[in-house]
Amino acid sequence: MPDREGAIDVPFLPYGKQEIADADIKAVVEALCSGWLTTGPRVSEFEKAFAGHCDAKEGVAVNSGTAALHCAMRAIGVGAGQEVIVPAITFAASANAAVYEGATPVFADVESDTLLIDPASVATKITTRTRAIVAVDYAGQPADYDALRELAKDRGIAIIADACHAPGALYKGRKTGTLGDVSCFSFHPVKHLTTCEGGMALTDDVAMAAHMRVFRNHGIASDHRSREAAGAHAYDMAELGYNYRLPDVQCALGLAQLTRLSSWVAARQRIAALYDDALAGMAEATPLKTHKDRTNAHHLYVVKLAEHVDRDRVFARLRAEGIGANVHYAPVHLHSYYQKRGYKRGLAPVAEAVSRQVLTLPMFPAMTEADVNRVVAALHRAAV
Ligand SMILES: Cc1ncc(COP(=O)(O)O)c(C=O)c1O
């Protein structure tokens, strides 16, 4: 196709990309040689450092963001017969974590210009069975926590922050990590900071943190290191837990990466501003809005395509030009698993309509202004 001439000469631009420096490699090698590959000192070191970075009292390191959400559900006491309100637009794990504990996800609709959970929709979904609301900081922007708290208060409803997209973002000056009763982060390679796979649950509640540490270790309160220190062999499994431990080697990588987190968030914000400028006035694509009382950590840069534009055609054309566009997300309740559980199309009309028009453009700290201009030029060609 003539409009793709030369595309093979330019490198592929993925939608997200981790950055591994020599300091990361050195830290990992040191951990490998330290004698503690897992349950060692680097775990609490990483927990303290990440929690401290986010202004939270306690951090519980686990081996994925999904595990962090599952820990949060257990610590809050979500269980059978209860409901958990989740935005229809999110990664499936936000809802699955409730199912793991036997609860029923109830999908709330989203705001059409931010794709954040819509408190007005949440208000219509609350019942006497509602135990928690999962607030997803979609694309890097915190949800409206004050509005959600107002709905939750006096009803025994907890707020779980799914902040997997948003380390370093602010809501009315407060950091993500302090906004939920438990706040969950992911360290998957496309996220801001990576431990290959990994995650952390943050909370100011010391008892909930202690419970999550037991839960991530099969339901056993002691681990190899604490038994070594005590010269003891006996242990008790007090509840059914999982092996969600994050190894020391990965915590070492997380500690090294954490020193660059703030500069990565700033880089993402700079790239988002370049996109905003380059897209200004383009009728076919509108960037998502960031509310004035928040900052956006820009895990993703998402545009809404005009209704007459065929999103999947644009996606294919960008891919053909070496641009790794993506889609975040199809509504969770439309996955076949949830359809089989009886969830019906139509329960979140805004999410269902908007999800057909959203497109994620490449966003990672090492992107240059030339990369942004290349993406926007390709989008112009693809969307007309
Ligand atoms: C919003 C959201 N929640 C939860 C998760 C789960 O994180 P992980 O992949 O680390 O299990 C992700 C990961 O993509 C996510 O985007």
Side-chain angles (χ1 to χ4, degrees):
M1 288 186 13
D3 63 348
R4 281 193 262 128
E5 261 175 20
I8 46 170
D9 295 332
V10 289
F12 182 72
L13 264 182
Y15 88 88
K17 192 171 159 192
Q18 74 280 6
E19 225 173 275
I20 300 294
D22 288 348
D24 299 323
I25 295 165
K26 188 165 170 275
V28 167
V29 171
E30 274 170 18
L32 277 169
C33 299
S34 74
W36 284 108
L37 299 189
T38 191
T39 71
R42 283 173 177 81
V43 178
S44 53
E45 216 184 304
F46 183 41
E47 290 178 339
K48 286 196 182 83
F50 188 74
H53 185 89
C54 299
D55 290 348
K57 263 198 198 135
E58 295 278 342
V60 180
V62 287
N63 53 20
S64 68
T66 306
L69 286 162
H70 192 183
C71 286
M73 296 285 168
R74 177 64 68 93
I76 280 161
V78 169
Q82 297 182 336
E83 295 172 351
V84 175
I85 298 178
V86 183
I89 298 287
T90 182
F91 185 58
S94 315
N96 296 352
V99 180
Y100 296 157
E101 288 299 285
T104 303
V106 172
F107 293 101
D109 216 334
V110 296
E111 300 171 345
S112 70
D113 50 359
T114 63
L115 272 67
L116 292 171
I117 190 167
D118 183 349
S121 172
V122 172
T124 69
K125 309 275 173 165
I126 290 176
T127 72
T128 53
R129 291 181 297 281
T130 308
R131 181 68 189 90
I133 299 167
V134 179
V136 177
D137 300 334
Y138 176 81
Q141 174 173 200
D144 190 349
Y145 285 87
D146 282 354
L148 297 174
R149 282 262 173 236
E150 193 57 33
L151 293 168
K153 81 167 193 237
D154 305 330
R155 289 183 162 124
I157 299 174
I159 307 279
I160 297 173
D162 181 339
C164 288
H165 292 186
L170 297 174
Y171 173 78
K172 301 183 181 174
R174 281 137 56 199
K175 287 187 186 173
T176 51
T178 63
L179 302 170
D181 295 300
V182 180
S183 301
C184 301
F185 292 86
S186 164
F187 306 135
H188 179 275
V190 291
K191 300 298 195 304
H192 290 70
L193 170 164
T194 190
T195 59
C196 303
E197 296 276 1
M200 203 178 292
L202 302 187
T203 182
D204 283 349
D205 186 314
V206 176
M208 279 210 281
H211 188 179
M212 291 192 282
R213 289 198 182 98
V214 172
F215 183 64
R216 71 153 177 218
N217 186 39
H218 306 277
I220 297 170
S222 63
D223 64 18
H224 180 66
R225 183 157 166 252
S226 60
R227 286 197 293 278
E228 284 276 302
H233 64 81
Y235 59 85
D236 179 46
M237 191 194 99
E239 67 175 294
L240 185 64
Y242 291 77
N243 180 352
Y244 283 157
R245 295 187 303 253
L246 185 66
D248 278 59
V249 176
Q250 286 168 249
C251 289
L253 177 57
L255 277 163
Q257 292 246 312
L258 185 57
T259 60
R260 292 163 1 249
L261 178 57
S262 298
S263 68
W264 284 333
V265 172
R268 286 171 179 274
Q269 289 168 339
R270 206 169 50 242
I271 293 160
L274 291 172
Y275 267 129
D276 288 348
D277 281 353
L279 290 165
M282 180 175 176
E284 292 83 7
T286 310
L288 292 187
K289 171 181 152 189
T290 297
H291 288 287
K292 289 203 164 48
D293 56 3
R294 296 163 225 186
T295 66
N296 194 327
H298 287 292
H299 162 49
L300 304 172
Y301 191 86
V302 177
V303 293
K304 255 177 30 175
L305 299 177
E307 271 173 39
H308 68 273
V309 178
D310 180 340
R311 192 267 316 276
D312 290 345
R313 185 161 159 270
V314 174
F315 170 88
R317 286 183 147 201
L318 289 179
R319 286 262 160 177
E321 289 209 35
I323 289 162
N326 213 320
V327 171
H328 296 87
Y329 298 91
V332 180
H333 61 284
L334 298 185
H335 283 290
S336 59
Y337 171 79
Y338 283 104
Q339 289 282 290
K340 279 182 263 175
R341 287 175 71 106
Y343 292 86
K344 298 270 180 278
R345 189 178 282 279
L347 66 81
V350 176
E352 290 167 25
V354 175
S355 67
R356 285 194 290 270
Q357 296 308 119
V358 288
L359 191 71
T360 303
L361 303 179
M363 163 61 82
F364 52 90
M367 274 181 79
T368 62
E369 186 166 359
D371 290 331
V372 171
N373 291 338
R374 180 183 152 205
V375 174
V376 173
L379 184 63
H380 271 288
R381 286 191 291 277
V384 291

